[in-house]
Amino acid sequence: MNEEETIEAYAVTDSNIIYRISYFWGIPIIIVFGWLKNKYVSIFSVEHDAHRLVVLYYGICPVVRNDRLRIAGSIEYGGNIGINGKVMIAYKIENLSTGDTYEKV
């Protein structure tokens, strides 16, 4: 299931912003020379269709509880990432409470 959808909802939780390593490129010659590719991931939940929906945004998106949001993305099953139920992978988040817009380019 991969539905493109735009929803308006209130944030139920503050966003957690996680800094994670996505992959490493290097050459092992006695000492390893290389570099890390890093990503920020923002995770929070919203109330949608009388259920909580987990939202993942690959980037920095500060959200505070009770912010009114317009979120565009795809809704998927969260089994691949260890979440039971549906998850929204967002590519655009508009915070209608503050006027900020976060969009993955």
Side-chain angles (χ1 to χ4, degrees):
M1 179 164 116
N2 221 0
E3 305 170 18
E4 285 290 318
E5 199 170 324
T6 299
I7 63 170
E8 282 195 29
Y10 285 93
V12 178
T13 61
D14 295 347
S15 63
N16 289 321
I17 300 171
I18 300 167
Y19 182 72
R20 70 180 186 113
I21 298 172
S22 57
Y23 61 85
F24 171 77
W25 284 88
I27 302 170
I29 304 174
I30 300 173
I31 300 173
V32 178
F33 295 99
W35 63 92
L36 299 172
K37 171 91 172 142
N38 302 310
K39 287 185 182 179
Y40 286 98
V41 180
S42 301
I43 304 170
F44 58 93
S45 61
V46 297
E47 189 71 29
H48 176 66
D49 289 340
H51 297 306
R52 283 195 178 188
L53 178 66
V54 175
V55 177
L56 296 176
Y57 176 75
Y58 292 100
I60 297 175
C61 179
V63 172
V64 180
R65 185 176 182 209
N66 294 327
D67 277 352
R68 198 173 108 214
L69 307 169
R70 181 179 297 133
I71 307 167
S74 61
I75 295 180
E76 303 173 0
Y77 288 110
N80 295 341
I81 56 175
I83 297 174
N84 200 7
K86 294 181 181 180
V87 175
M88 182 168 214
I89 309 297
Y91 61 83
K92 182 177 182 180
I93 299 174
E94 293 178 66
N95 191 330
L96 302 174
S97 298
T98 63
D100 296 334
T101 300
Y102 305 94
E103 187 167 8
K104 186 163 171 93
V105 184

